[in-house]
Structure formats: structure tokens, C-alpha cells
């Protein structure tokens, strides 16, 4: 089918009761271009009573939002099949065409199509209207509205079904790869049709490396599957290090064409070798991420998704677990191109709700269709190695829950037997109804082991592990784990060694772990063949679940760093990501890279001197309150703690050439050490030594002198369409370019030419500032502007800040090919 973007020309407004409109209450529509998040532009406010729901959604209000669009359908389209495809609408989408109900989709993360031709008026304008609502239905920030791409699909009565091409590579060796192509053809006419199907496999250069021609007879009102077996000589394999892709081009006579991108690779799994890709064992260096794009809210632009994949890969991750909903098509395509492995997750709830109005209300009726949508989206992507059927599902501790898990797992396998199935099980939630009795059991066992309640509860992670490794959890989750190919475990590393003996055929994946425990967890991943990887919570910070990873101290002095699970308004982000919501790597990211063995140079992180001497009370999701900076005006001579991360035997710290001594580091000391010194501006240098020889060094410079504003675009050239964006980083520095995180000030931007300002923001976790304004206070000396091209030409961004010279950035926008995009 011919696929064209349906993103332009929309309008949106909060939905108004029609009776209220009759009484004179008029709420105007405003124009928008999709993707669009209707929630991110709402005014945040502290609820009268702080609830989990308010904190979960970052204190954004929910609501009902109404989108509409007028579009013409030419007379020559009469008699064709026409669909409108939505890649995601949050949530409870209801679609009307020319005033008539056309379809709905309760789940906010599934792509779906509306059969539109029966409602259309040919040769004149038509109106499509979409309603979406979000209200206390999630544990994180969801956004609202048509937040992913939309498409108009037009095809003949006899055609290739959208998402109807499946490519697999069941047999591979060095000399050839067997490529099986299954193509579903449908006939909506009243005649029998016999047509040729021409299939070509093309390599990265566009050269045809295999081809085949088959004929298919399709009876009226039926569908037929064409299966072709092609042979690619000397295949280039898809790997995380070399993600080579092929294109499969199909032509159904002269009536339809499709293109599918795929990779040639094998997957193997066993308790001794773990996960193997193309015969090589791969340990998953995983990042859990939510679906929001930071200052863009939930709006899913292709470039925003690719940028996240690029930065996560650069930070040392080789796998993403999308949490806790199916991944966008744009991110899947980016993962294919960049060699990022994917665990794609279906649901956060089944039949047991976690919030008042969540998907559990729809799950029994809709789960099969949503599983089918996820697999249809994923099936040709080589990056996808595993499907997760759920996250922290309380039912997993009961026989009926295990039965549901078996039902879901078998459904996935029936649709795609080439990938593995997991479920992210939280042992504590699985036995929540008996937690009181279990707590007593754990305490008694702890007493026998010489540990008391204070020792046990000193770390929430220890308490969760104690429960997860208990006999009760072992018994109650046995069947739920048995229905899976991979036992996904959240915060349960205490089971890794235990289950090697109890369940010798069980293969384990740490589907969710505390970032502060990566050194010990990674040691277990490397030690045990049956443990195939670790996924930290989280690789990228996100909106909502506010403050679970924020710095907290026991002393009470009225500031925002007070103990508690969720932070009060106006806290905005979770605060637990290796990378903040603007894409800036935090100290935890570099520590993780060292633990993974991917960084030889030491890394310096400095604790904020204002809180020196305070008692730390952060959660297990919270990294230390550090910044990689040696600029602390007003703290001259004050005590300061310097953390140094390194895999070397020992680290020496130098301040302005003076040594503060050497301290042990490396794996035996959790890859870190600390120095207590007095702050003196200048240069701070860390030198790493192994067996007495220097292995690397790094330094921090004091930012000195007048503050300058710098602006840098991530790319000089972008495309005029296709979801492309330009990211411009605004940084305060000194004359030498040293970042100046202590010189925050308000920056203003003006955008002219072939683009518009889509968002302006920072990583400030505690702010009432909006992302849809043209001025913003920097945070730690940084802000981020996102530009959306509107056509070919030049985009100019001019940024100003108090006491700084204005700076300009010019981005070239190249025209996008006008060829209609084919179904993939």
C-alpha cells in the first residue's frame, strides 16, 4: 500500500462537553503538527494532597483531549482500500470519521489501523476526529494525545497486507544464509486473482544478492500466504558491533510493493554459554528506559529516538529494555542501525491494577490484540532478541497468574518462535499478600545468620533481596518462571547463585537493578553463564516517579533534599538515570562504563560542598550528590569530598601539582575511592596506577574569568521531514571553554528561517519552568533547545544571556525525498 505521512494539518483542544458548548462554553482548537503530547503543555500544579498518582505523573494534570483534521480524498481513490494508521495514542483512543464512530484502542502504546474507506466522501473534504484521555492510569509520566506518527495507507483491493511481510533467517553458515520470506496477500474483490510475486534481497550498497518469483492465487474475500526461500551468498551478519542490514523488496505484479529491512543473525540460549549471537556469547549491558523524550514530553520524533540510542550506545550500553510498554517503530529502526539489542515489553499490568484507572480494566478483552500488534511491529527487526510479557505483575505468585503468564507466552511464541520470552518478576510483589508472615520468616533467618532487623533494613535493596530469595518466593514463582525462556528478575540478584543449584536449567536476566549495585551485579553476570545480563533502573532519566533517585539527607533544614520515596511539587524527574533528560551523562554513567571494562581513564566526581558532613539518606536508586566540576565559588578553603572511579589498583589525586596521596581503587574497592580535601581553585588531576605504572589520568579545570555563552548543534545538516530534529546545546563556559556550572543564568533564544523552536529546557529536577517558552534558566550551566524543520533552507538560532555576547547557530535543512514511503 502507498503510505504517506498524515502528521500535518491537525488541531487540538481539551474536549468540551457538547452540552456545555450549547450553553456557550467555547474552547478553541489550536493547530499542531504530529507527533504531539497534549499533556506536556498543561500547567503543572501541586495537588491539595500529595498522592502517588500526582508524583507519578510529575504533577501534570490529566484530561480528555480532542484532535481533528480535514483532508481531501480524490475521486480516483473510490474503490480502493484506505486505512489511517496510528503508531500510538495515549490513551483510550476513539476515532470518528465524518462524525461516525470508526474504531478505538484502549491501550496507549499499541499501533493500530482504522478501516476508513467506508466512511469517506470522495472528491470532497473529510474530517477525522480523535479523542484521547489520561487520568490516574499510570505509575509514570505518560503524556497524552496522538504522540506518535500517523499514516494514510491507500491500496488496491488485491494487495500485500500492512505488516504482512515476515523475513526470517533459519539457516546460516559462512557460505550462505537461507532467507525465508512469508508474504500475506489479501483479495477484497469478488474475483479470483493470480499474480506474480517478485522478491529481491539487496545488500547495503543496493546490489541484488538474491531473488525469486512466485505466483499466488487469491480467492475472493480471502488471504493467501506466499512463502519464498532465497539464498544469500557469503552473508554479512548483523551484530551489535557491526549491524549490517539487508532490504527485502517485494512487488505484487504492478498493483503493490513493499520493502522490509532485516538482518542476518542467529540466537542461541543455554545455561552454560548464556546468550549467544552468531555463536558468540554476549552479556547484556542493559539500560531500562521509559518512553518520554525529556523536554519534548512523550512526543515520539524519529530523531529524538535515534539520539537516545546513540547516546546510550556511546555510554557503554549494548541493550535497551523499554519499560514498561512496546517500543516505538522509530526507536526499533534506530536500534537496528546502531546495533542496540532490545527487550521489548508488553505490559505493566495484567488483571491486577496498580492505579485507579489503568490498563487492567481493558486487559482481559484486549491483551491478545495488543500482543499481536507488538509482535507485528517487531518481527523483522534484528535488534529485538526478547519479548517481555510483563513487569512486576503481582499475579505471578499465584496459580492463576502463572496460567495467565503461560497464555501470554504461548501467544507470543505462536506469532514469533524465533525470539525468547521473559517476564520481569518482582519476588516481593509476587507474595505481597503474605508479606507480613514472610517478614517474620526473613527476620528469623537473619537472626540465625547473625543479622538483626536494623542491619537488614539499613538498605532497601538488601530487604528486597532477602524476600526475593526466600523459600516462599521460590515456591510461589516457580511456575511463572517455568513458562518463560528467560527468568527476568527485578532487584533479586541474591537468586543468581541460589538458582544455579535449585533450577539448573533456569536462565536469568537482571531485568531491573539498582544503579548503585552495578559493580557487584556485573561481577555475578560475568561469573555465571546462566546469568545473561543486567538492566539498570534507569539508563536515561525520565519525567514522573519524581525524586526516587534524588539526593537526600537526614538533617532537616528546610531544603528540598528531604527523605521520602517521592518528592513534593515542583519536582519533575525521577532523578535515577545515568543520562539526564537533556542527554548529558551524569557521574554514574562513567562509573558504569568503568565497571563494564570500557574505560581506562579514571573519572572525577565532586560532592557538592554545601552538603558536606550531612548524613546521606538517598534511596538505592540514588547516586551520590556529585558533579564533575572543580568550580565552587564561595567554598574556597572549605572541606570537600572528591570521588574517583577507576579499575586500576590505586589512584593518586593532585591539586595544582600537589599530591594528596594515593588510595586503593579497582574491583576490590568497588572501583572507587574518596579524598577529603580543602577546596582550592585551579586544576584537579586523578592518576591511575596498576602494578605501579600509570594507566591513565584525567583532570578538572577551574572555570575562571568572564562567563561566555556557547551554542552547538548536534548536526550541521538535517532533513526537512521524516521526524528529523536539531538539538542545540547551550553551555556557560569561561574563555577557555571550561564549563561553568555555578554561573546559571537565564538564556533566551530566537529561531528564524526554515524551522521552529519545539522545546527549550534543562535538567533541573526542581522547577516550575515550562518547556514551551523562549527563555529558560540554565541548570549546572546547561540548557537544551530542540528545533523542528519546517522546510528546506537554513534555521538560525540566536541565543542571549545576561552578561554574555549573543551566539548564533545555523543548521542547514535539506529537502526530503518526495517519494511516497512504502509500508515496512
Amino acid at each position: 500500500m502507498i503510505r504517506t505521512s498524515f502528521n500535518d494539518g491537525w488541531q487540538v483542544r481539551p474536549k468540551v462537553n457538547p452540552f456545555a458548548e450549547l450553553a456557550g462554553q467555547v474552547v478553541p482548537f489550536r493547530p499542531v503538527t504530529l507527533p504531539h503530547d497534549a499533556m506536556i503543555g498543561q500547567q503543572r500544579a501541586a495537588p491539595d494532597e500529595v498522592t502517588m498518582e500526582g508524583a507519578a505523573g510529575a504533577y501534570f494534570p490529566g484530561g480528555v483531549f480532542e484532535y481533528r483534521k480535514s483532508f481531501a480524498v480524490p475521486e480516483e481513490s473510490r474503490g480502493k482500500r484506505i486505512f489511517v494508521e496510528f503508531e500510538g495514542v495515549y490513551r483510550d483512543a476513539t476515532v470518528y470519521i465524518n462524525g461516525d464512530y470508526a474504531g478505538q484502542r484502549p491501550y496507549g502504546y499499541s499501533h493500530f489501523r482504522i478501516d476508513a474507506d467506508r466512511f469517506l466522501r470522495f472528491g470532497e473534504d473529510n474530517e477525522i476526529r480523535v479523542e484521547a484521555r489520561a487520568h490516574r492510569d499510570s505509575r509514570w509520566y505518560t503524556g497524552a494525545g496522538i504522540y506518535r506518527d500517523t499514516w494514510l495507507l491507500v491500496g488496491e483491493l488485491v494487495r500485500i497486507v500492512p505488516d504482512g511481510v515476515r523475513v526470517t533467517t533459519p539457516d546460516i553458515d559462512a557460505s550462505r544464509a537461507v532467507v525465508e520470506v512469508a508474504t500475506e496477500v489479501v483479495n477484497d474483490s469478488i474475483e479470483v486473482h493470480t499474480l506474480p510475486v517478485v522478491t529481491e534481497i539487496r545488500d547495503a550498497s543496493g546490489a541484488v544478492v538474491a531473488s525469486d518469483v512466485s505466483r499466488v492465487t487469491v480467492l475472493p474475500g480471502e488471504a493467501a500466504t506466499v512463502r519464498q526461500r532465497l539464498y544469500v551468498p557469503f552473508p554479512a551478519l548483523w551484530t551489535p558491533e557491526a549491524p549490517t542490514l539487508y532490504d527485502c523488496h517485494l512487488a505484487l505484479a504492478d498493483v503493490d510493493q513493499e520493502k522490509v529491512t532485516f538482518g542476518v543473525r542467529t540466537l542461541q540460549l543455554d545455561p552454560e554459554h548464556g546468550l549467544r549471537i552468531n555463536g558468540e556469547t554476549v552479556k547484556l549491558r542493559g539500560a531500562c528506559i521509559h518512553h518520554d523524550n525529556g523536554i519534548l514530553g512523550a512526543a515520539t520524533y524519529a530523531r529524538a529516538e535515534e539520539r537516545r540510542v546513540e547516546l546510550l550506545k556511546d555510554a557503554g550500553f549494548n541493550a535497551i529494555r523499554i519499560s514498561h510498554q512496546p517500543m516505538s517503530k522509530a526507536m526499533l529502526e534506530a536500534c537496528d542501525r546502531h546495533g542496540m539489542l532490545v527487550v521489548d515489553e508488553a505490559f505493566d499490568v495484567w488483571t491486577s491494577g496498580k492505579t485507579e484507572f489503568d490498563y487492567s480494566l481493558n486487559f482481559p478483552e484486549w491483551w491478545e490484540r495488543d500482543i499481536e500488534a507488538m509482535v507485528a511491529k517487531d518481527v523483522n527487526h534484528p535488534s529485538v532478541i526478547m519479548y517481555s510479557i510483563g513487569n512486576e505483575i503481582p499475579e505471578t505468585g499465584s496459580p492463576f497468574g502463572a496460567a495467565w503468564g503461560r497464555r501470554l507466552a504461548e501467544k507470543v511464541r505462536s506469532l514469533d518462535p524465533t525470539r525468547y520470552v521473559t517476564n520481569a518478576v518482582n519476588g516481593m510483589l509476587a507474595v505481597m499478600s503474605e508479606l507480613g508472615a514472610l517478614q517474620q520468616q526473613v527476620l528469623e533467618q537473619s537472626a540465625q545468620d547473625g543479622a538483626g532487623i536494623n542491619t537488614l533494613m539499613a538498605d532497601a535493596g538488601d530487604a528486597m533481596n532477602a524476600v526475593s530469595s526466600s523459600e516462599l518466593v521460590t515456591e510461589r514463582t516457580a511456575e511463572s518462571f517455568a513458562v518463560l525462556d528467560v527468568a527476568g528478575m527485578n532487584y533479586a540478584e541474591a537468586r543468581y547463585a541460589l538458582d544455579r543449584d535449585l533450577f539448573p536449567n533456569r536462565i536469568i536476566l537482571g531485568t531491573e537493578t539498582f544503579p548503585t549495585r552495578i559493580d557487584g551485579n556485573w561481577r555475578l553476570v560475568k561469573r555465571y553463564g546462566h546469568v545473561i545480563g543486567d538492566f539498570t533502573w534507569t539508563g536515561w532519566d525520565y519525567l514522573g516517579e519524581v525524586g526516587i533517585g534524588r539526593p537526600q539527607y537526614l538533617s532537616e533544614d528546610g531544603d528540598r533534599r528531604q527523605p521520602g520515596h517521592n518528592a513534593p511539587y515542583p519536582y519533575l524527574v525521577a532523578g535515577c538515570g545515568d543520562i539526564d533528560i537533556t542527554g548529558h551523562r551524569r557521574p554514574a554513567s562513567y562509573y558504569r562504563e568503568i565497571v563494564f571494562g570500557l574505560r581506562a581513564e579514571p573519572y572525577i566526581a565532586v560532592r557538592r560542598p554545601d552538603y558536606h558532613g550531612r548524613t546521606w539518606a538517598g534511596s538505592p536508586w540514588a547516586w551520590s550528590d556529585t558533579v564533575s566540576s572543580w568550580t565552587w565559588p564561595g567554598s574556597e578553603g572549605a572541606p570537600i569530598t572528591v570521588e574517583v572511579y577507576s579499575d586500576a589498583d590505586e589512584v593518586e589525586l593532585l591539586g595544582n601539582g600537589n599530591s594528596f596521596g594515593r588510595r586503593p581503587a579497582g574491583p576490590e574497592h568497588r572501583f572507587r575511592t574518596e579524598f577529603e580535601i580543602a577546596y582550592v581553585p585551579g586544576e584537579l588531576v586523578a592518576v591511575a596506577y596498576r602494578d605501579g605504572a600509570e594507566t591513565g589520568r584525567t583532570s578538572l579545570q577551574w572555570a575562571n574569568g568572564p562567563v561566555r555563552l556557547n551554542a552547538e548543534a548536534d548536526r550541521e545538516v538535517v532533513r526537512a521531514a521524516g521526524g528529523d530534529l536539531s538539538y542545540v546545546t547551550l553551555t556557560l563556559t569561561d574563555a577557555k571553554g571550561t564549563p561553568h556550572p555555578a554561573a546559571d543564568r537565564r538564556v533566551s533564544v530566537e529561531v528564524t528561517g526554515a524551522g521552529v523552536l519545539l522545546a527549550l529546557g534543562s535538567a533541573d529536577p526542581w522547577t516550575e519552568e515550562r518547556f514551551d517558552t523562549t527563555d529558560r534558566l540554565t541548570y549546572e550551566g546547561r540548557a537544551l533547545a530542540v528545533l523542528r524543520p519546517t522546510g528546506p533552507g537554513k534555521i538560525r538560532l540566536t541565543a542571549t544571556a545576561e552578561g554574555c555576547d549573543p551566539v548564533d547557530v545555523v543548521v542547514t535543512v535539506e529537502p526530503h525525498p518526495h517519494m511516497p514511503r512504502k509500508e515496512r
Side-chain angles (χ1 to χ4, degrees), residues 321 345-348 350 388-393 422-425:
R321 171 185 171 230
E345 195 153 85
F347 309 116
D348 185 53
W350 294 350
S388 170
I389 57 176
N391 170 70
E392 297 188 340
I393 304 298
T422 188
N423 188 4
V425 175

Side-chain angles (χ1 to χ4, degrees), residues 243-519:
T244 303
L245 296 171
Y246 289 86
D247 287 332
C248 178
H249 291 256
L250 299 104
L252 178 65
D254 59 354
V255 298
D256 204 0
Q257 298 181 21
E258 299 290 353
K259 185 186 80 170
V260 168
T261 300
F262 70 99
V264 178
R265 58 110 177 93
T266 63
L267 296 177
Q268 295 170 281
L269 195 64
D270 67 76
E272 180 180 353
H273 301 97
L275 173 68
R276 285 184 286 178
I277 300 177
N278 302 322
E280 299 291 330
T281 296
V282 175
K283 295 291 189 178
L284 300 179
R285 305 188 303 270
C288 294
I289 64 171
H290 269 315
H291 74 294
D292 74 77
N293 274 302
I295 68 174
L296 298 179
T300 305
Y301 288 86
R303 174 55 192 163
E305 301 287 78
E306 180 168 52
R307 177 175 177 264
R308 282 207 287 168
V309 173
E310 290 173 347
L311 293 177
L312 287 164
K313 192 76 183 286
D314 290 344
F317 294 107
N318 67 359
I320 291 173
R321 171 185 171 230
I322 190 72
S323 313
H324 309 286
Q325 64 280 317
M327 182 178 282
S328 71
K329 290 184 177 182
M331 182 169 279
L332 283 171
E333 292 174 359
C335 289
D336 288 346
R337 291 191 298 270
H338 294 282
M340 183 69 84
L341 302 170
V342 173
V343 177
D344 206 3
E345 195 153 85
F347 309 116
D348 185 53
V349 293
W350 294 350
T351 60
S352 179
K354 296 178 179 176
T355 56
E356 293 95 324
F357 306 106
D358 64 21
Y359 178 70
S360 65
L361 301 174
N362 307 106
F363 174 86
E365 180 181 354
W366 284 88
W367 72 269
E368 272 193 283
R369 281 168 283 189
D370 291 323
I371 287 287
E372 288 167 355
M374 180 179 74
V375 175
K377 169 180 61 67
D378 291 8
V379 71
N380 293 313
H381 292 280
S383 56
V384 178
I385 58 172
M386 208 176 304
Y387 299 106
S388 170
I389 57 176
N391 170 70
E392 297 188 340
I393 304 298
E395 297 97 303
T396 53
S398 73
F400 282 100
W404 268 112
R406 189 180 304 278
R407 190 176 295 142
L408 269 72
E410 290 306 310
K411 178 66 176 181
V412 169
R413 293 184 181 110
S414 73
L415 298 168
D416 183 2
T418 69
R419 268 89 170 192
Y420 304 116
V421 179
T422 188
N423 188 4
V425 175
N426 185 313
M428 179 177 286
L429 286 180
V431 296
M432 184 63 74
S433 62
E434 300 181 53
L435 204 55
L438 179 60
Q439 182 181 30
Q440 185 60 37
Q441 177 185 329
V442 170
L443 288 174
E444 292 173 0
Q445 183 62 47
S446 298
Q448 293 177 14
D449 296 340
I453 180 63
N454 292 334
T455 302
L456 179 65
M457 298 307 295
D459 189 304
D462 289 341
M464 294 181 73
N465 265 290
V467 172
S468 292
S469 59
S470 66
E471 291 183 6
L472 180 62
V473 170
T474 299
E475 176 187 349
R476 292 296 176 85
T477 60
E479 185 179 0
S480 286
F481 280 133
V483 307
L484 308 170
D485 303 307
V486 176
M489 296 186 181
N490 287 11
Y491 311 109
E493 63 268 22
R495 294 211 68 95
Y496 295 179
L498 179 68
D499 284 0
R500 185 181 58 168
D501 299 324
L502 292 178
F503 304 95
N505 295 317
R506 179 178 287 180
I507 297 168
I508 294 174
L509 177 62
T511 39
E512 195 167 310
T513 64
F514 293 117
T516 49
R517 294 184 166 219
I518 183 57
D519 58 314

